[in-house]
Amino acid sequence: MSIELPDWYVLKEPGEITVDVKNWIEYADTRINRFIKGDPWIINRPTSFSDEEWEIVKVQEIGGHFLLRLSASTNQRISGWLVEVEGDLFEFRFMSSINFDEKINVLKDLYGEENVKTIQELNDFYQINLYRQFNLADVPSRRARNYSGTTKRDLYKRIAIRFNKIPSVVSAKKALLYKGWAVVRISEIRLTVKREFEKQISDVIKKSAVFVDEDSNLADTIKPVTQKITELAKSRRMGGSLSDFGFAGSKEVYTQVDCYPPCILDLVTILRDKGHLAHIENWQLGTFLKEVGMPINEQLKFWYQTSVDNVGLTFDEFVNRIGYQIRHIYGQTGGGIDYRSPKCKTCIDGYYCYFAHKKLEDISEDIKIRFKDKKEEMIDSSIDDISKIIVNNRFQSACARYFQLHTGWTIKSGRINHMVQYSTQAYKRFHTSKDKEKLSGEKNE
Amino acid sequence: MNEELTPEIISEFYRTKFPLDKFMAFIGLSGFKNREFGFVVGEDRFIRNISFENTKELREFMATRSVKHAYVGAVYAQSPSRYSPIQKIKWKFREFIYDIDINDFDLVRTCGCQGYAYCTDCWSLVQDTVLFIDETMRQDFGFTDITWLFSGRRGVHGWIKDTITKNFDQAQRVAILNYLTMVHDQKRTQTIEEIPKEAKPLRDRIYSIIAKSYLLNSSEESLVEIGIAKKKAKDIIQRVKTSSEFDAQTYNLIIPSNQTVRNKLSQEIILKRYPRIDRKVTMDTRRVSRMPYSIHGNTGQLAVVIKDIKTFYPDSAPNVWDALK
């Protein structure tokens, strides 16, 4: 049985499409510009559109995406960027869709038809009434209401997915499990579905490389697109803006180690003790140090002094042979992209998050040692609070509570979104008297 | 232990009484040659990365080396050996296994037993754990091929052999573990997770299996301490004792509606009686586990299949001397 997929879903088989090269590049260009503006768009067929008119819109959409896909298949950095922006766009479109069946069909395509069922299908299969048996009601949750401002998008409705397809949702106990099916609200699977989409789009991008390899004309066609993306990357417009996180860039913060977040302190400690980190942790620490203002030469010295890679090498030899990754972070080699450090959400999923990845008992010990000058009751109540928050998987909130213990200030939003946010706020608290006054509204000592 | 567990006794058991057919039926014939085995031999030397061409070789090894403890591990793409250790060869599959030990409850055992010691009072914690996990695996996850084995000393092992579980990666194994976990850092801070709102079957199971045992083992005074009126406390205990079928609905009916009291009570129930699992055993796909039907080298007891956990008590488990009679 084939399922009907929406036209906005770029993993859908495009069917027969004819497009001339000039238009093709134009469509890709339009798509890039839209991504850069950061303004997601939806494609829905207006009732007044004829088949021909709608076909043009579809060709623009699919053609633009496919050219970007081909371009990304030849360049790992562009591929990473495309996966990220297409992932954001997919998430927006999936959540915005007002057609519940459309959502179900997309899920069936992503996870396999046999792994997704509607509640009605599940009821029929097991001859039960899940809603009655578990006293469920499809009342919009606060989260679902907040996302769209309305209940039209059915985000509060439940669907069933095989539990092993969405382990993070099962892990957080955000699903009702029945005979291996995770019955879950659409609003609770937003991120996990986005990640599955990103995984699949990443795979199809890799597979697209074969088309470019086999066709030299195609390789020539994608050149201007690749060039444009690379140019844009160099001009720092694609790395995400720090203002997204509600704080400005931060010079000199790197000099104040007491302002570093616990994840970074841990990485520095591990690096000093063992002389090396995992590749992604190198990246996390390197981009953080850059973003809190450490100049490239300082950072090269830092790695030379702390990492085991320096064995038998002079500083110059180290810079030439090993310093590639550091220069890469600063955009001085490779594609020249000015990389940003990962957000907390990204760290939780794939980098190092102190609260998500460290053992609770070790966190408790660390806090006692780091804040030994603070009152014992304050430390105990903080450990108690942080433990409770961690076990409920709210790692960014745990970091905010840790920040409160560290600085005496409360983060208004109740969570830390970025490791640089932690450092800049701590820097303001301890080292900038002017800013301390300005932010007095956030104090809670 | 009845008498001394000598190498000769061990050897005779493995040569004449070890139910090799049953063991093979248990782990399945698929990939036998590439399955890892581990043993404690001689003066407590632990050896692993061992595999066998056939079952005859396995029996011969265990008998001639008088293995004190025998363990079985995962199946790999080639036969594990000293020259092809498991770290260097491709992992293929492993059953999904739980390890429940009575000493994981040391911080909440009120009978006075600690470590390897147990009594009927604290053994009920293991029994409830098995009932709880077994029902969760069947009802929530839909698994059907579940066997519980006595570990030979102070605990039980749950083997889930449904085909789907064998290929689970670590993230999938951890997800199931996390779904089950309510007490974090269980040997130190014992932080309790809030009762889940969406995972209703799990919540209902806490209010039936675990709450029932907690209330049956509670005194009026302990319930009064939580904030329940004395008369009500007496009534609750009476109702639990007389209820033929105690479920979440009964719990909700008999417990006072005051939210503070309810929260405090549910926290106490989870802290004192909720399952505690050795996470490493379940997560680690390359770990070896005690071989079903083998001898526990410290007690002489056999790792037998538990037919009914409600009536099983370690002292009644068969041992090597009984087997050789």
Side-chain angles (χ1 to χ4, degrees):
Chain A
M1 188 181 79
S2 69
I3 45 175
E4 198 180 324
L5 292 164
D7 291 319
W8 55 258
Y9 178 61
V10 296
L11 287 171
K12 177 184 178 176
E13 280 298 319
E16 285 284 313
I17 282 185
T18 311
V19 55
D20 71 54
V21 171
K22 195 177 153 229
N23 286 345
W24 202 15
I25 293 172
E26 196 184 300
Y27 299 155
D29 206 41
T30 308
R31 199 170 179 88
I32 294 170
N33 290 333
R34 285 177 135 172
F35 281 139
I36 288 163
K37 270 170 66 189
D39 187 15
W41 69 100
I42 299 173
I43 58 158
N44 274 332
R45 181 176 178 165
T47 45
S48 59
F49 264 38
S50 65
D51 284 351
E52 289 73 28
E53 284 171 313
W54 182 238
E55 197 57 32
I56 294 169
V57 176
K58 272 168 56 181
V59 169
Q60 285 172 348
E61 169 74 13
I62 295 163
H65 167 76
F66 267 74
L67 191 54
L68 290 185
R69 194 191 281 187
L70 291 168
S71 171
S73 72
T74 62
N75 183 313
Q76 225 176 353
R77 280 184 293 278
I78 295 179
S79 168
W81 167 77
L82 187 62
V83 168
E84 200 178 317
V85 289
E86 288 286 2
D88 288 344
L89 181 63
F90 165 80
E91 180 193 7
F92 176 75
R93 290 172 166 186
F94 178 77
M95 298 303 276
S96 304
S97 166
I98 53 170
N99 184 340
F100 190 62
D101 288 342
E102 201 167 86
K103 287 191 174 87
I104 298 278
N105 289 346
V106 166
L107 291 173
K108 284 187 173 178
D109 188 68
L110 281 173
Y111 293 110
E113 270 189 77
E114 68 284 10
N115 294 315
V116 178
K117 279 188 196 289
T118 61
I119 302 305
Q120 189 55 51
E121 284 169 338
L122 203 64
N123 283 345
D124 292 345
F125 187 79
Y126 288 108
Q127 293 293 300
I128 54 157
N129 184 331
L130 273 174
Y131 278 70
R132 195 177 297 159
Q133 184 161 338
F134 294 105
N135 199 17
L136 301 177
D138 269 349
V139 178
S141 68
R142 209 172 63 187
R143 193 166 168 186
R145 283 200 301 270
N146 284 347
Y147 190 85
S148 58
T150 74
T151 56
K152 279 184 193 164
R153 290 170 179 86
D154 297 332
L155 303 181
Y156 56 90
K157 280 192 179 171
R158 291 179 170 89
I159 46 108
I161 303 180
R162 290 294 301 178
F163 78 91
N164 52 323
K165 297 289 168 189
I166 49 171
S168 60
V169 177
V170 172
S171 191
K173 303 185 181 78
K174 284 183 177 164
L176 183 155
L177 288 182
Y178 184 78
K179 304 282 184 198
W181 292 92
V183 176
V184 63
R185 289 178 193 269
I186 294 277
S187 56
E188 296 293 355
I189 53 169
R190 183 171 59 96
L191 279 179
T192 197
V193 173
K194 180 187 178 185
R195 249 166 244 133
E196 182 61 30
F197 171 85
E198 287 177 341
K199 193 175 134 239
Q200 294 193 18
I201 195 100
S202 177
D203 287 346
V204 294
I205 288 172
K206 270 182 211 148
K207 283 177 191 160
S208 304
V210 69
F211 300 117
V212 184
D213 291 344
E214 286 171 359
D215 185 342
S216 60
N217 288 336
L218 197 54
D220 289 338
T221 307
I222 62 167
K223 259 184 197 159
V225 177
T226 309
Q227 206 174 349
K228 174 163 184 178
I229 299 172
T230 311
E231 290 295 319
L232 285 165
K234 279 184 188 163
S235 68
R236 305 178 60 162
R237 289 161 68 190
M238 282 162 51
S241 165
L242 281 181
S243 60
D244 292 349
F245 308 111
F247 58 92
S250 43
K251 290 259 156 69
E252 311 300 326
V253 175
Y254 80 94
T255 56
Q256 305 299 334
V257 178
D258 62 325
C259 298
Y260 286 9
C263 54
I264 293 298
L265 286 178
D266 250 19
L267 292 182
V268 173
T269 308
I270 296 166
L271 181 65
R272 291 214 161 111
D273 291 348
K274 293 186 179 171
H276 63 88
L277 292 172
H279 177 72
I280 51 163
E281 292 168 348
N282 281 334
W283 187 264
Q284 184 177 346
L285 179 56
T287 49
F288 169 83
L289 291 174
K290 184 192 82 169
E291 233 167 284
V292 292
M294 187 181 266
I296 183 165
N297 278 339
E298 286 269 345
Q299 190 161 168
L300 284 164
K301 273 183 211 159
F302 166 80
W303 289 95
Y304 178 65
Q305 283 160 4
T306 43
S307 126
V308 288
D309 295 334
N310 62 5
V311 177
L313 298 180
T314 65
F315 179 64
D316 286 341
E317 285 168 338
F318 173 82
V319 171
N320 286 333
R321 287 194 214 169
I322 319 283
Y324 176 83
Q325 198 182 353
I326 312 298
R327 294 201 303 278
H328 194 118
I329 286 170
Y330 285 79
Q332 295 190 1
T333 52
I337 296 172
D338 184 23
Y339 288 100
R340 301 293 188 200
S341 51
K343 300 173 198 173
C344 287
K345 272 185 186 165
T346 316
C347 291
I348 290 166
D349 286 336
Y351 287 78
Y352 176 69
C353 167
Y354 180 79
F355 298 98
H357 304 129
K358 194 159 185 170
K359 276 187 188 167
L360 209 52
E361 54 263 45
D362 294 338
I363 292 175
S364 158
E365 282 305 302
D366 283 358
I367 290 175
K368 282 179 193 162
I369 294 165
R370 186 175 184 191
F371 302 114
K372 61 179 184 298
D373 296 336
K374 294 193 187 278
K375 283 182 187 165
E376 208 178 314
E377 308 88 73
M378 189 192 274
I379 291 176
D380 288 345
S381 75
S382 300
I383 290 175
D384 203 29
D385 288 350
I386 289 168
S387 306
K388 281 180 187 156
I389 302 170
I390 290 173
V391 298
N392 286 297
N393 297 325
R394 293 188 286 123
F395 307 117
Q396 291 168 259
S397 303
C399 196
R401 181 66 183 85
Y402 182 98
F403 179 86
Q404 190 189 1
L405 172 69
H406 181 190
T407 63
W409 282 6
T410 305
I411 297 287
K412 268 184 187 170
S413 65
R415 63 182 185 199
I416 298 286
N417 292 316
H418 200 287
M419 46 193 181
V420 179
Q421 175 196 14
Y422 187 109
S423 296
T424 45
Q425 293 292 358
Y427 185 79
K428 282 174 186 167
R429 167 69 179 87
F430 295 122
H431 303 284
T432 322
S433 55
K434 196 177 150 198
D435 285 327
K436 217 155 109 180
E437 283 162 28
K438 201 167 72 188
L439 288 164
S440 57
E442 292 188 351
K443 273 187 189 178
N444 183 24
E445 277 189 283
Chain B
M1 203 185 291
N2 312 24
E3 37 191 300
E4 199 189 347
L5 186 61
T6 61
E8 291 73 29
I9 288 175
I10 293 174
S11 185
E12 192 188 343
F13 172 80
Y14 283 121
R15 209 173 287 285
T16 62
K17 297 292 179 184
F18 177 65
L20 195 54
D21 291 349
K22 269 189 181 177
F23 169 69
M24 286 311 297
F26 189 90
I27 62 161
L29 287 166
S30 164
F32 175 79
K33 285 181 186 174
N34 294 345
R35 197 183 270 273
E36 189 202 8
F37 288 87
F39 303 97
V40 172
V41 293
E43 295 298 310
D44 286 344
R45 194 160 66 90
F46 179 53
I47 51 171
R48 59 184 296 185
N49 287 308
I50 294 170
S51 55
F52 300 95
E53 268 298 302
N54 51 50
T55 54
K56 202 176 150 196
E57 269 188 17
L58 169 67
R59 188 193 286 279
E60 192 57 27
F61 182 95
M62 292 202 291
T64 51
R65 301 290 293 266
S66 297
V67 300
K68 269 182 87 175
H69 300 274
Y71 302 94
V72 57
V75 172
Y76 296 84
Q78 60 189 91
S79 306
S81 69
R82 190 190 299 178
Y83 307 104
S84 303
I86 56 160
Q87 293 83 357
K88 290 187 179 170
I89 55 179
K90 197 172 168 230
W91 179 91
K92 275 189 83 179
F93 69 81
R94 172 67 166 148
E95 293 79 5
F96 187 62
I97 296 172
Y98 286 106
D99 182 9
I100 318 294
D101 280 331
I102 187 67
N103 58 320
D104 283 335
F105 292 91
D106 276 359
L107 289 184
V108 289
R109 285 204 267 182
T110 50
C111 52
C113 297
Q114 289 287 287
Y116 298 150
Y118 56 84
C119 65
T120 47
D121 271 358
C122 60
W123 185 253
S124 68
L125 287 162
V126 172
Q127 290 171 313
D128 282 355
T129 295
V130 171
L131 291 171
F132 189 91
I133 295 176
D134 193 271
E135 195 176 308
T136 306
M137 293 301 107
R138 290 178 199 278
Q139 296 302 320
D140 297 7
F141 291 93
F143 301 141
T144 52
D145 192 355
I146 306 173
T147 308
W148 292 92
L149 292 149
F150 176 46
S151 71
R153 180 154 65 180
R154 63 182 194 277
V156 294
H157 297 161
W159 283 60
I160 298 171
K161 297 184 290 171
D162 291 68
T163 314
I164 186 180
T165 63
K166 290 184 180 173
N167 295 312
F168 277 168
D169 59 23
Q170 204 175 51
Q172 287 167 324
R173 287 167 201 253
V174 169
I176 298 175
L177 262 183
N178 287 349
Y179 176 81
L180 266 176
T181 303
M182 290 293 292
V183 184
H184 297 259
D185 189 14
Q186 58 194 28
K187 290 195 172 164
R188 293 171 57 153
T189 55
Q190 302 185 94
T191 312
I192 310 291
E193 199 170 315
E194 285 166 24
I195 297 261
K197 287 192 179 77
E198 275 298 306
K200 288 170 194 264
L202 191 75
R203 184 196 63 187
D204 289 353
R205 209 163 289 126
I206 294 170
Y207 290 147
S208 52
I209 297 175
I210 307 297
K212 184 184 178 185
S213 291
Y214 174 84
L215 293 170
L216 279 175
N217 286 288
S218 293
S219 62
E220 279 173 41
E221 290 71 32
S222 63
L223 294 184
V224 168
E225 266 177 45
I226 288 168
I228 298 172
K230 195 169 169 42
K231 191 167 171 288
K232 182 74 181 166
K234 192 178 173 183
D235 182 43
I236 289 170
I237 292 172
Q238 189 58 28
R239 287 283 295 272
V240 179
K241 279 181 181 162
T242 53
S243 294
S244 55
E245 280 192 17
F246 187 90
D247 58 14
Q249 215 175 352
T250 318
Y251 177 90
N252 284 324
L253 278 173
I254 64 172
I255 301 301
S257 55
N258 180 311
Q259 204 51 49
T260 316
V261 170
R262 289 181 85 95
N263 288 346
K264 214 170 164 187
L265 181 61
S266 55
Q267 294 258 317
E268 270 296 294
I269 290 169
I270 293 168
L271 176 70
K272 297 284 166 59
R273 295 203 68 95
Y274 192 81
R276 295 178 180 218
I277 304 161
D278 185 342
R279 290 174 64 90
K280 284 190 215 107
V281 173
T282 311
M283 280 161 61
D284 188 353
T285 53
R286 289 171 188 262
R287 189 171 270 251
V288 288
S289 301
R290 185 166 300 283
M291 187 189 286
Y293 310 104
S294 67
I295 306 169
H296 190 296
N298 296 95
T299 62
Q301 287 184 299
L302 304 178
V304 289
V305 170
I306 297 170
K307 283 183 188 145
D308 182 2
I309 190 66
K310 287 181 191 161
T311 54
F312 179 83
Y313 189 62
D315 290 357
S316 61
N319 58 42
V320 65
W321 299 279
D322 296 332
L324 290 173
K325 269 178 195 164

